[in-house]
Amino acid sequence: MSRALVLAGGGVTGIAWEIGVVAGLAAGGIDVTVADLIVGTSAGAAVAAQITSGEPIDGLMARQRAPSSASKELGVDLDLELLGSMFEALFDEGLAPEVRRAKVGALALTADTISEAARLEIIAARLPHPDWPGSEEHHVVLTAVDAASGRFTTFDNASGVALVDAVAASCAVPGIWPPVSIGGRRYMDGGTRTIANADLAEGHDDIVILTPMSPAMSASQPDEVGPLRAAGSRVIVIQADEQSLLAMGPNPLDPAFRAAALDEGHRQGMAAAPQLAHAWG
């Protein structure tokens, strides 16, 4: 039986919530880090790198409780007008998906953000270890999108791309963080394709998807899950509930809410553990 863990996007509070869920599942006797495949998108990319780093889950939780000044995280105000323009482009059904993403990429490439170097420093501070896990330990796949062409891309430990660069690219929310330079191209958030890119787990018998965003912000997820189930996979989705969403605050990019998000994720993870006992226990 093959197992996959899919970690969706959701900002810095989403990182904390997903770490909390993983910890809560572990407290319930379920170790999802033993998955044959771990797919990380945006916030999920940071989580994938953390839970495969070898650092104990208690240490990862402590990182989420650290003050923002200690963790180098920056709070960012959301530009609702810019976000509205991006969502309008992403959901323009009159255009091919790559063309939609390229329109968003054009906005990302011209946006006024911090420098790539400063952003990479923040991402590096998130990671307990700067190297990819060995392929014999974990197969980790991180998602990104070429900002100029809109082409969907994945990185893993065989891609020749540094882990920090891959995570930063996957987390490069357009208009908020700078696209990341890799191999002469610039890459932005893998969530501009879908919030989880769960289709990458196709062919695995058991799939767990962690989604810290609200149903409204992850509306495409049923379109991903349906085909997986139709193909015979057993899919369990753990999505942030109303209590978690309230604890995560109104801005997923505000690190001040990480501790509260972590605690709610832990609660949901413990509650979900019995669902996973058959295949993951």
Side-chain angles (χ1 to χ4, degrees):
M1 299 290 289
S2 60
R3 298 172 292 190
L5 173 64
V6 177
L7 303 164
V12 292
T13 57
I15 292 174
W17 181 86
E18 290 185 10
I19 291 291
V21 173
V22 172
L25 289 170
I30 306 298
D31 182 5
V32 290
T33 70
V34 300
D36 300 284
L37 170 69
I38 299 178
V39 178
T41 292
S42 198
V47 175
Q50 290 184 49
I51 65 174
T52 59
S53 67
E55 180 165 337
I57 191 66
D58 288 347
L60 298 179
M61 293 178 70
R63 284 172 170 267
Q64 297 305 314
R65 298 192 188 281
S68 298
S69 56
S71 64
K72 298 188 178 180
E73 294 289 353
L74 292 177
V76 179
D77 292 328
L78 294 177
D79 185 335
L80 297 181
E81 183 177 350
L82 178 60
L83 287 176
S85 299
M86 290 190 296
F87 273 100
E88 183 179 352
L90 286 176
F91 291 102
D92 184 352
E93 295 184 356
L95 299 174
E98 286 194 358
V99 176
R100 300 179 207 171
R101 296 193 291 265
K103 289 185 67 174
V104 172
L107 294 173
L109 290 167
T110 58
D112 182 16
T113 68
I114 64 173
S115 68
E116 282 190 62
R119 179 58 174 163
L120 288 170
E121 185 177 351
I122 293 171
I123 296 298
R126 289 180 181 173
L127 308 185
H129 198 284
D131 298 326
W132 292 89
S135 58
E136 69 282 356
E137 300 170 310
H138 299 283
H139 184 201
V140 176
V141 175
L142 307 183
T143 68
V145 167
D146 186 307
S149 70
R151 183 175 63 86
F152 180 62
T153 303
T154 61
F155 303 113
D156 62 14
N157 60 1
S159 64
V161 174
L163 179 62
V164 171
D165 291 348
V167 173
S170 190
C171 293
V173 181
I176 304 294
W177 305 119
V180 174
S181 300
I182 298 174
R185 309 291 297 180
R186 297 189 71 191
Y187 293 90
M188 64 180 181
D189 200 309
T192 56
R193 180 179 182 252
T194 74
I195 197 67
N197 294 298
D199 58 307
L200 297 181
E202 182 180 3
H204 289 77
D205 299 297
D206 288 275
I207 303 169
V208 172
I209 303 174
L210 306 189
T211 305
M213 301 295 281
S214 68
M217 294 295 289
S218 53
S220 65
Q221 187 165 275
D223 295 334
E224 298 182 78
V225 172
L228 294 173
R229 287 177 172 154
S233 296
R234 180 173 181 265
V235 183
I236 294 177
V237 179
I238 304 175
Q239 184 155 24
D241 61 17
E242 186 174 352
Q243 186 172 324
S244 286
L245 291 171
L246 183 63
M248 292 159 76
N251 180 359
L253 302 178
D254 187 346
F257 290 86
R258 290 180 302 159
L262 178 76
D263 291 338
E264 293 304 322
H266 192 276
R267 171 186 61 80
Q268 284 198 251
M270 288 193 67
Q275 293 179 270
L276 280 66
H278 172 70
W280 295 76

